[in-house]
Amino acid sequence: MTENHQPVRGIRTTAIHAGESPDPVTGAAAPSIVMSTAFVADAGTSFSAEDFGDATPYLYTRWKNPTVDQLEHKLAALEGSEAAIAFGSGMAAVTALFLYTLKAGDHLVISDVSYAATAEMTNELIPRLGIAVTKVDMSDPQNVADAIRPNTKLVYAESPSNPILRLTDIEAVSQIAHDHEARFAVDATFSSPIGSHPIRLGADFVIHSLTKYICGHGDAIGGAILGTAQDMARIKKDVAIRTGGILSPFNAWLIQRGATTLPLRMKAHEEGALAVARFLESHPKVIRVIYPGLPSHPQHELARRQLTNFSGMVTFQVRDGARAAKIIADRLSVILYAVSLGHQRSLVFYLPTSEMLRTSFRMTPAQEQSYRAFAGDGIFRLSVGLEDPEDLIADLAYALECI
Ligand code: PLP
């Protein structure tokens, strides 16, 4: 856990310099990787995380590590939060947040559409711990207000949501959560710290899968929680050190290197995604395109108010998607048919609605109706990378020709 003491600077300067300084011994301008798991300590140093605090020296990498510290500084500076803690994956961060904020007898209100593993964790594992879960369509803040109970301790949104890019009004839901003394967390992986600012809009915690835009190059898995110094200090001690889902220094180094170009990359992702989304919207074989930057997105006005970058994620639909997926996967040559997102390489993956509903979302009939009205049946999730948009459009045009 590292607190952010950086002066306020432009976002590009922040992305490059926050958390970094030339090596005081060698003068190396680029950050070094400290892979050591153990650090020489003074005799009498505590062996228990119980005594862990800001002043604790480096002792053991599961507690803290200089390379991971650098990344945490940079993340906090990018988000404008007091502090950040890095984890071994986005899911390790989500798990740590649940363990920190919830206990047996508590109640969690969560978006009915969220990343599959998050949704699946709240189907069985979280209820097994004695925590009640209510899934709501968070595109209407009133649904959150209606779901809150006296024992609701956490409201958890994913915005834009994976995979349908539905948005939550973060300011409104934050108000509702706080009126009921619940904490409010937002998984903002899809927008990155460049595209949304949940803490400024009132959230207590932000989750990022660092694996996606922040790393940006598809070669390191990581996650983070961002929030106040007080919360992060407690999460660090009570959960991260003791449950051990921490980030490796090597991955921290790769991710911090990726993060230095995040503002520039997000600009290019947005530019490419807008061009591709407009092309898809004009294509006769495409029956639906969902992109927050298009006026046709049902929440475009909210997107304009709360997002500062529309990001690179585009969802689209064609008739008989499952059959089309095979053809599209075979004919694409620039865009890779693969999971994940936020990389420099464009990636596309087909998600059949009924399977997602069965395995992950498990919605009420009303929620399913709202999901289908928003996203239709069967969607392609396209992560627009950093290639020339004309090449992506040509690739998609060729693939769509034969469906
Ligand atoms: N949150 C969102 C929105 C995601 O899309 C993902 C992964 O795709 C995660 C969390 C989990 O992140 P990770 O794969 O780094 O564990």
Side-chain angles (χ1 to χ4, degrees):
M1 189 278 302
T2 303
E3 283 187 54
N4 170 27
H5 295 299
Q6 299 292 325
V8 176
R9 289 175 173 166
I11 196 70
R12 283 163 52 173
T13 311
T14 299
I16 293 167
H17 291 284
E20 296 185 15
S21 49
D23 187 290
V25 176
T26 63
S32 310
I33 312 179
V34 178
M35 289 299 289
S36 187
T37 54
F39 296 81
V40 175
D42 290 337
T45 305
S46 173
F47 189 62
S48 165
E50 195 53 37
D51 297 321
F52 183 86
D54 279 354
T56 305
Y58 294 114
L59 184 72
Y60 185 54
T61 278
R62 176 156 47 75
W63 291 28
K64 70 173 183 172
N65 169 280
T67 310
V68 177
D69 273 1
Q70 289 186 333
L71 171 67
E72 290 173 342
H73 269 298
K74 200 182 285 297
L75 295 174
L78 281 169
E79 189 75 41
S81 65
E82 285 178 10
I85 307 181
F87 290 87
S89 69
M91 288 319 299
V94 175
T95 306
L97 182 75
F98 286 168
L99 288 178
Y100 174 62
T101 51
L102 298 165
K103 61 180 184 328
D106 289 345
H107 176 231
L108 162 70
V109 176
I110 186 164
S111 334
D112 61 357
V113 184
S114 51
Y115 171 59
T118 307
E120 288 163 19
M121 198 187 344
T122 62
N123 287 342
E124 271 143 42
L125 185 62
I126 295 297
R128 222 199 286 159
L129 301 176
I131 298 158
V133 178
T134 306
K135 297 189 180 187
V136 300
D137 171 358
M138 280 203 191
S139 61
D140 182 354
Q142 187 56 43
N143 293 336
V144 177
D146 293 345
I148 285 195
R149 304 175 191 167
N151 60 339
T152 304
K153 291 288 163 29
L154 180 67
V155 175
Y156 187 100
E158 189 176 293
S159 187
S161 65
N162 184 357
I164 62 170
L165 309 175
R166 196 159 67 178
L167 306 179
T168 293
D169 183 335
I170 291 169
E171 205 168 4
V173 172
S174 155
Q175 188 67 51
I176 293 166
H178 293 152
D179 284 350
H180 295 84
E181 288 171 19
R183 313 298 303 276
F184 179 43
V186 179
D187 181 335
T189 298
F190 265 43
S191 49
S192 92
I194 305 304
S196 74
H197 313 278
I199 287 181
R200 271 187 236 159
L201 294 172
D204 300 294
F205 306 101
V206 180
I207 295 276
H208 284 291
S209 165
L210 304 176
T211 318
K212 311 297 173 351
Y213 285 106
I214 295 176
C215 173
H217 296 76
D219 47 17
I221 286 191
I225 307 178
L226 299 99
T228 65
Q230 194 184 15
D231 277 321
M232 296 307 107
R234 288 182 54 200
I235 294 175
K236 179 80 176 176
K237 189 167 103 173
D238 296 350
V239 189
I241 292 177
R242 288 176 175 147
T243 60
I246 54 100
L247 185 64
S248 88
F250 186 65
N251 276 6
W253 184 83
L254 282 170
I255 294 167
Q256 82 81 32
R257 187 171 70 156
T260 60
T261 56
L262 182 66
L264 293 171
R265 287 189 286 105
M266 291 310 295
K267 235 181 178 174
H269 280 298
E270 179 186 53
E271 191 184 294
L274 198 54
V276 167
R278 285 188 179 130
F279 159 76
L280 289 170
E281 205 165 47
S282 70
H283 196 286
K285 290 188 179 158
V286 175
I287 52 181
R288 186 189 307 252
V289 180
I290 307 173
Y291 181 63
L294 287 178
S296 57
H297 188 289
Q299 297 164 296
H300 183 60
E301 186 276 325
L302 177 63
R304 290 175 67 96
R305 248 189 310 125
Q306 293 194 351
L307 297 178
T308 45
N309 177 292
F310 295 126
S311 194
M313 299 306 298
V314 178
T315 287
F316 67 96
Q317 202 174 23
V318 300
R319 271 178 236 294
D320 197 358
R323 193 188 57 84
K326 292 193 178 66
I327 300 167
I328 289 175
D330 278 351
R331 286 176 68 90
L332 288 172
S333 60
V334 178
I335 302 169
L336 305 178
Y337 189 83
V339 293
S340 205
L341 57 113
H343 307 170
Q344 79 274 50
R345 297 173 193 87
S346 292
L347 309 169
V348 71
F349 205 76
Y350 178 69
L351 300 161
T353 298
S354 46
E355 193 179 311
M356 297 285 293
L357 291 170
R358 180 181 60 79
T359 56
S360 309
F361 301 144
R362 305 205 184 154
M363 292 172 166
T364 64
Q367 286 168 348
E368 181 173 337
Q369 202 178 5
S370 160
Y371 181 97
R372 286 182 185 278
F374 189 92
D377 190 31
I379 51 172
F380 287 85
R381 185 187 68 185
L382 172 61
S383 172
V384 176
L386 300 176
E387 302 93 339
D388 295 291
E390 310 80 67
D391 294 332
L392 300 178
I393 289 170
D395 210 27
L396 284 164
Y398 181 72
L400 290 168
E401 217 172 75
C402 288
I403 65 167

